[in-house]
Amino acid sequence: MSRDAVIQEIERHFDSGAFHADLARRVAIPTESQNPDRRPVLYQYLNAEIGPALAGLGYRWEVLENPVAGGPPFLVAERHEGDHLPTVLTYGHGDVVRGQEEQWTKGKGPWQLDLDGERIYGRGTADNKGQHTINLAAIAAVLKLRGRLGFNSRILIDMGEEVGSPGLDAFCAAHRDRLASDVLIGSDGPRLQPGQPTLYMGTRGAFNFDLTIDLRQGGHHSGNWGGLLANPGILMAHALASLTSPTGAIRVPEWRPAPMTNSVRAALSGLIVDGGEDGPEIDPDWGEPGMSPAERVFGWNSFEVLAMRTGNPDKPVNAIPPRATAHCQIRYVVGSDPEEFLPALRRWFDAHGFPMVQVSRSRGEAAPATRLDPEHPWVVWTADSVERTLGRRPALLPNLGGTLPNHAFALTLATPTVWVPHSYASCSQHAPDEHMLAPIAREGLRMMAGIFWDLGEPGTPARAA
């Protein structure tokens, strides 16, 4: 059997409806990790669906408890074909956000797969059941035609990604030998554009914090006290405005990353960010001046005000409020020091006349930034495999603009990480009407079948090493 034959086999798998049948079963299992009542369903997904599917492919699998008390479970599976062969780790998550059943306007609701033109509706189709279903189907196609993979395969399914993957980092540390691999090839997140195959090699970090101005007890009549009492809402607005230019360029020096390396700048050159027909239009003059949109979202830091409150926005009254709050976030790339973000902010506010602003870190740990150099051998090898399958070069993103638990693999396991996403930015993955695009799914199957076939051939970086 040949590489071309495995591509044809995976195309038949999609065109016959077999892929849709597998995904429909998985979507029908309501694995809402944000809903405590669904905890037994998380185990059901692993024990009744994914585990048996992997057993049929010759994997040994086990469901393991989270090192965090009450945390969602993990599934670890392995197919070992030889000590001399490369070992590849594949990651996916089987949990989803809440179904939001009453808000769906398209498809048949969150728990029933529905095809409408090019859209495949259902909760988890894009994030992440559809993506790991693609990867498992590609592995199955290689086994069917070759009879073996030609490499050792380890698979980790996380059932808590939508609640921040609690315990994943500790789990990887505790099972380091069991998960050790030459490379991680996983799938999550969106492509750069719907029609452009994409690889990314890390994620921006996320650092959330809260600002509070608390001036006095209770509100006071705006007619009697207006012009006499400081308004915390106005003070908060000016404090926030001091942090960036009017067009969003970061002013706090310690929040600005080191200049992009030549390899990162070269990888981002000419890339166009496009969320598809339902995506928002990019504001061309927003953010760091002199940078392209791709450089601003994949190569630089951004500061966002996610929520603000003063007084009672739902029922305003004629009173000067006593308090104002803002919930903020910094998305940051490798080369930034998140431990310096808040001390730098304190110094900035004190120097610019805002000592009344209280600064506190939000609950939860910061998700560290990760990045694999676009010129790393595993990146070059994977891009070559994709180009061989599709006849065109994928976009190479040094890191995703968003955040995934990639640090558990890149830092804790010290594994090179290459992600091949099978979704797009306007897939509504955390909203009603979540969907996967059929052309992306079919192309994703072809790419992954090619990658998994090539991993069993001579010439991988692990074999060269």
Side-chain angles (χ1 to χ4, degrees):
M1 288 295 177
S2 67
R3 189 181 196 277
D4 290 342
V6 80
I7 301 297
Q8 294 169 7
E9 172 63 26
I10 205 67
E11 290 173 340
R12 284 192 295 270
H13 177 76
F14 182 85
D15 296 342
S16 70
F19 169 80
H20 299 81
D22 289 343
L23 184 55
R25 281 196 322 276
R26 292 165 187 171
V27 165
I29 304 173
T31 52
E32 299 168 302
S33 57
Q34 298 170 335
N35 181 353
D37 294 337
R38 298 293 199 190
R39 182 172 175 80
V41 182
L42 305 183
Y43 287 87
Q44 176 191 347
Y45 187 77
L46 299 180
N47 286 310
E49 176 59 37
I50 299 300
L54 290 173
L57 299 178
Y59 282 78
R60 298 175 59 187
W61 62 278
E62 184 179 6
V63 175
L64 298 170
E65 294 299 330
N66 198 305
V68 174
F74 299 99
L75 180 145
V76 176
E78 180 174 16
R79 181 185 166 98
H80 185 82
E81 295 191 358
D83 293 342
H84 63 291
L85 296 175
T87 300
V88 179
L89 177 63
T90 302
Y91 167 88
H93 66 89
D95 67 318
V96 298
V97 298
R98 292 181 183 270
Q100 303 169 299
E101 289 90 335
E102 69 284 354
Q103 299 180 43
W104 284 60
T105 62
K106 299 176 181 177
K108 296 179 180 178
W111 314 123
Q112 186 173 350
L113 199 76
D114 186 51
L115 280 64
D116 185 2
E118 291 188 342
R119 296 190 173 191
I120 307 170
Y121 286 99
R123 177 63 82 221
T125 51
D127 190 17
N128 173 262
K129 293 177 179 179
Q131 301 217 36
H132 63 252
T133 295
I134 286 173
N135 292 354
L136 297 183
I139 287 173
V142 172
L143 285 169
K144 180 178 179 180
L145 268 70
R146 184 189 265 152
R148 58 183 177 82
L149 292 176
F151 61 93
N152 301 314
S153 173
R154 292 173 171 170
I155 294 174
L156 173 62
I157 302 295
D158 176 6
M159 296 305 293
E161 196 273 345
E162 299 296 2
V163 289
S165 291
L168 176 61
D169 193 55
F171 183 85
C172 288
H175 297 275
R176 192 183 309 273
D177 292 343
R178 194 168 184 175
L179 297 173
S181 303
D182 293 295
V183 64
L184 176 135
I185 298 179
S187 296
D188 203 353
R191 290 178 165 196
L192 180 67
Q193 300 180 43
Q196 184 166 19
T198 302
L199 307 181
Y200 65 88
M201 285 69 74
T203 65
R204 286 201 295 184
F207 187 96
N208 288 48
F209 59 95
D210 295 292
L211 305 179
T212 304
I213 299 177
D214 201 345
L215 297 184
R216 60 186 70 88
Q217 291 293 321
H220 294 272
H221 194 280
S222 59
N224 297 332
W225 297 97
L228 302 178
L229 298 181
N231 188 305
I234 294 174
L235 287 171
M236 182 65 79
H238 282 278
L240 289 169
S242 75
L243 302 177
T244 75
S245 72
T247 54
I250 293 173
R251 286 175 169 162
V252 182
E254 295 87 348
W255 289 7
R256 296 168 62 83
M260 284 178 280
T261 64
N262 290 336
S263 61
V264 169
R265 192 177 295 277
L268 297 176
S269 177
L271 297 185
I272 298 174
V273 180
D274 182 2
E277 61 182 23
D278 295 331
E281 183 177 347
I282 292 173
D283 295 310
D285 298 324
W286 187 260
E288 187 67 17
M291 289 187 178
S292 68
E295 290 172 335
R296 295 201 300 265
V297 74
F298 303 121
W300 202 248
N301 294 355
S302 64
F303 166 69
E304 303 296 341
V305 179
L306 302 182
M308 292 178 62
R309 186 181 183 93
T310 191
N312 187 340
D314 297 326
K315 295 181 179 180
V317 296
N318 292 323
I320 300 169
R323 194 168 189 267
T325 60
H327 183 69
C328 305
Q329 182 184 75
I330 300 172
R331 295 276 184 172
Y332 65 96
V333 298
V334 167
S336 305
D337 182 4
E339 295 305 315
E340 182 59 19
F341 287 161
L342 294 192
L345 179 59
R346 180 73 273 159
R347 294 191 297 269
W348 178 274
F349 278 155
D350 290 346
H352 289 79
F354 301 108
M356 76 293 294
V357 182
Q358 302 169 37
V359 178
S360 61
R361 189 165 177 167
S362 300
R363 290 184 178 182
E365 297 182 1
T370 57
R371 174 187 288 166
L372 186 65
D373 192 288
E375 296 177 354
H376 189 280
W378 273 112
V379 178
V380 175
W381 181 90
T382 310
D384 287 346
S385 175
V386 171
E387 185 174 20
R388 186 178 176 189
T389 299
L390 302 182
R392 62 190 192 279
R393 199 76 174 168
L396 300 182
L397 307 182
N399 48 261
L400 193 65
T403 302
L404 295 170
N406 192 57
H407 61 285
F409 314 116
L411 303 180
T412 301
L413 294 179
T415 302
T417 57
V418 182
W419 295 82
V420 190
H422 307 313
S423 185
Y424 77 118
S426 299
C427 65
S428 302
Q429 79 267 29
H430 286 179
D433 305 337
E434 179 181 349
H435 60 277
M436 171 178 271
L437 291 182
I440 293 180
R442 192 175 191 272
E443 191 168 76
L445 287 162
R446 298 177 69 234
M447 283 194 297
M448 299 311 297
I451 288 171
F452 288 130
W453 181 274
D454 292 342
L455 283 166
E457 297 290 296
T460 67
R463 285 182 168 89

